[in-house]
Amino acid sequence: MGTPRDHPSPYLTQTTRPRMFSRPWHRYAWAVVPLLSMSVLACLPFIVASYRRVVGWRITAVYTVLSATVLGFAIVQPQVNGWFAVVVWAFIITTVVHVLLLDPRKPQGK
């Protein structure tokens, strides 16, 4: 069987945090996706981040619903006032900033 000392405690083992970006330039490549798609594909980086266990499903669901709403408005093209454009641009900017902040930057060594 074995004693408790034979089995390491999960509290004493160090696990690495899941990473979204394996290379430094990936951060900026993913951040461009919402800008190029005008927020229709804003959920794509968060779907990948959820798959990699960087963010939870709730964040992914929020961005997916908001992206689907923007896509629905683009297809139906209802009469909207000027606030809709402001909200969409705020959504795009928020998405880009959130993607840039998904992984903490590595601390610079001295």
Side-chain angles (χ1 to χ4, degrees):
M1 206 161 194
T3 63
R5 290 184 186 180
D6 294 338
H7 304 289
S9 170
Y11 299 107
L12 300 176
T13 59
Q14 184 172 352
T15 59
T16 58
R17 183 172 180 237
R19 305 282 305 165
M20 174 67 183
F21 312 111
S22 57
R23 302 271 190 267
W25 62 271
H26 287 176
R27 175 184 314 274
Y28 305 106
W30 277 110
V32 172
V33 170
L35 288 173
L36 292 179
S37 68
M38 288 306 291
S39 76
V40 173
L41 296 177
C43 61
L44 185 62
F46 297 100
I47 292 171
V48 172
S50 177
Y51 177 74
R52 294 179 181 173
R53 306 253 190 252
V54 176
V55 297
W57 66 270
R58 288 181 179 100
I59 292 173
T60 304
V62 167
Y63 279 103
T64 303
V65 166
L66 291 173
S67 294
T69 302
V70 172
L71 178 63
F73 272 91
I75 292 171
V76 176
Q77 294 183 353
Q79 294 291 348
V80 294
N81 59 14
W83 284 105
F84 182 73
V86 172
V87 170
V88 169
W89 275 105
F91 173 55
I92 293 171
I93 292 168
T94 303
T95 305
V96 169
V97 170
H98 195 174
V99 169
L100 289 172
L101 296 175
L102 279 178
D103 277 350
R105 292 185 181 264
K106 294 180 181 178
Q108 297 294 329
K110 290 185 178 181

